[in-house]
Each structure stands twice: as structure tokens, then as C-alpha cells.
């Protein structure tokens, strides 16, 4: 400070010193620290938490320049003087604080703008993610509907296959029944063929001699039973019996 030629024009206010009980001297406390000391001295007993008060303009300025300790120490004394009475050094301190605050404000503004850009980007990402989520949910709904349709189609196909299996089983049973009936009919047909060759033809042709009348009567009784099985009218059966008892050439 002594090398500055402007110091000779006006004396620079120096910090006041107060004497301690040990005879040493130290710089006087700043107004803010002095107020804190007096408040602490008045408190007795258990200390109570001081209510939080919003920072004043000077506190905000000191907070902005707290990175420069020498500037933070000199600034309160420079601000105590009116602007018209400030020494050039004090004005330089104020200007330096203003420049530092402007830089801090610029940095804060840049950080704010960067934060706003980040928020805008996050909003864009959020909108894009919401769009993707909506598309994913729509796709999920479509796939779920397709799944339900396929499950319904599979159920219908299984039901149709089960019904077809029942029909095939019934047709198989009917085929087996028809086969049994065919076998029975074939046996009945064979029996009728045998009866015709053994009963009808000899009796119609009168090939049995009169001496074998018992065999003739046996065959005639068997033939009448066959007529009865065939549901031939009784009158026709009686007429056939009378005719067959007469010899063919008589």
C-alpha cells in the first residue's frame, strides 16, 4: 500500500486496535462479529438456539467474496464510508468486490442457464420416454389381444378335435356293430341256403321215397319253422305243407 502514490493525498483509515488484559493489541471486531459476541455475553444458563434470520445485503456480499480473504476483510471498512468520502483504495476494494460479484453472478447465471438446459433436456427425455412407454403399452395390449385370440382359436380347435374324436369313436362302434350284424346275416344266409338245399328242394321235388315218410315229415316240420321265422303267412305255410305232402308226379 505504501508504494501507491495516491496514498499521500488522503490518509487511509486504519483498523482500530483494542487492548487486551495481557497488554497485547489486536484488531477491533467487525460490527457483525461484535454483535455476535454481545449476544453471546448476554446469554446465561443453557444456551438457546438463535432463530434463523435471512442474510442481509452485507452478508450476501461477504458470502460472494468469501473466496478472497483479504478482500472480505477490507470490504466492510470500505462500505462504512459514504461513496463520496471513500479513499481511492477503498473504492478499489468496492470495485474489486463488485467485479467479483459480477463474475459470481455471471457464473451463477451460466449455471442457471445450464440447469435450465438440463431441465429442458430432461423434459425432452421424459416426453420421449412417455411416448415410448405409451407405444410399449399399446404393443403390449395388441400382443395380449393376439394372445387371447390365439388361445381362443386353440381352445376351439381342441374342442373340434375332441368332438371329431367322439364322432370317430361312435362311427367305430357303429362299424363294429355293422360287422357283427353282417356276420350274423351271413350266418343266417348260409343257414337259409343250407335249409333250401336240405329241406326245400327235396320236398318240392318229392325225392324222398314213401318209405322215408318220417324223414319227410321231419324235414317238412323244419321247413315250416323256417317259414315261421321268415314271417310267411300261416295260410300260405299251410297250403305249402299240403302241397309238399303230395308227390310231384301224382
Amino acid at each position: 500500500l505504501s508504494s501507491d502514490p495516491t496514498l499521500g493525498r488522503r490518509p487511509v483509515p486504519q483498523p482500530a486496535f483494542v487492548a487486551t488484559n495481557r497488554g497485547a493489541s489486536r484488531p477491533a471486531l467487525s460490527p457483525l462479529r461484535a454483535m455476535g459476541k454481545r449476544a453471546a455475553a448476554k446469554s446465561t444458563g443453557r444456551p438457546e438456539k438463535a432463530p434463523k434470520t435471512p442474510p442481509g445485503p452485507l452478508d450476501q456480499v461477504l458470502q460472494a467474496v468469501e473466496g478472497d480473504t483479504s478482500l472480505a476483510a477490507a470490504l466492510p471498512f470500505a462500505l462504512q464510508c459514504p461513496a463520496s468520502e471513500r479513499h481511492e483504495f477503498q473504492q478499489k476494494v468496492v470495485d474489486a468486490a463488485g467485479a467479483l460479484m459480477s463474475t459470481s453472478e455471471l457464473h451463477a447465471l451460466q449455471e442457471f442457464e445450464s440447469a435450465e438446459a438440463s431441465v429442458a433436456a430432461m423434459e425432452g427425455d421424459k416426453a420421449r420416454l412417455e411416448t415410448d412407454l405409451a407405444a410399449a403399452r399399446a404393443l403390449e395390449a395388441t400382443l395380449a389381444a393376439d394372445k387371447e385370440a390365439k388361445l381362443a382359436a386353440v381352445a376351439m380347435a381342441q374342442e373340434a378335435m375332441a368332438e371329431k374324436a367322439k364322432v370317430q369313436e361312435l362311427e367305430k362302434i357303429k362299424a363294429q356293430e355293422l360287422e357283427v350284424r353282417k356276420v350274423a346275416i351271413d350266418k343266417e344266409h348260409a343257414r337259409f341256403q343250407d335249409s333250401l338245399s336240405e329241406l326245400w328242394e327235396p320236398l318240392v321235388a318229392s325225392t324222398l321215397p314213401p318209405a322215408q315218410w318220417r324223414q319227410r315229415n321231419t324235414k317238412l316240420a323244419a321247413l315250416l319253422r323256417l317259414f315261421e321265422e321268415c314271417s310267411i303267412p300261416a295260410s300260405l305255410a299251410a297250403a305249402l305243407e299240403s302241397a309238399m305232402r303230395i308227390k310231384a308226379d301224382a
Side-chain angles (χ1 to χ4, degrees), residues 151-161:
L151 289 176
V154 170
M156 292 179 61
Q158 291 177 347
E159 185 177 356
M161 291 177 63

Side-chain angles (χ1 to χ4, degrees), residues 20 22 34 45 66 87 127 138 140 159 163 170 184 186 190-191 206 242 244:
T20 63
R22 296 183 181 179
E66 62 182 356
H87 189 272
E140 181 183 7
E159 185 177 356
E163 189 67 24
L170 291 176
D186 289 342
R191 187 171 68 86
S206 301
S242 300
M244 288 180 183

Side-chain angles (χ1 to χ4, degrees), residues 215-231:
Q215 295 180 3
R216 183 193 65 188
N217 291 341
T218 301
K219 290 181 180 292
L220 184 58
L223 184 60
L224 292 174
R225 289 193 298 273
L226 184 62
F227 287 165
E228 186 178 356
E229 291 179 5
C230 294
S231 301

Side-chain angles (χ1 to χ4, degrees), residues 40-129:
K42 290 181 181 180
S43 63
T44 58
R46 186 175 181 180
E48 296 182 357
K49 293 183 178 179
K52 293 183 178 180
T53 56
L58 181 59
D59 296 327
Q60 295 178 1
V61 173
L62 293 176
Q63 185 178 4
V65 299
E66 62 182 356
D68 190 336
T69 56
S70 60
L71 183 60
L75 182 60
F77 300 100
L79 293 176
Q80 288 179 356
C81 298
S84 59
E85 299 179 3
R86 286 176 190 161
H87 189 272
E88 185 176 357
F89 172 76
Q90 292 176 325
Q91 189 61 42
K92 287 183 178 181
V93 170
V94 173
D95 293 341
L100 186 58
M101 291 180 65
S102 298
T103 304
S104 301
E105 182 181 3
L106 179 60
H107 290 168
L109 181 60
Q110 291 176 349
E111 292 178 358
F112 178 75
E113 292 176 350
S114 177
E116 282 188 334
S118 300
V119 169
M122 291 176 64
E123 291 293 335
D125 294 340
K126 179 182 177 182
R128 184 170 59 256
L129 291 175

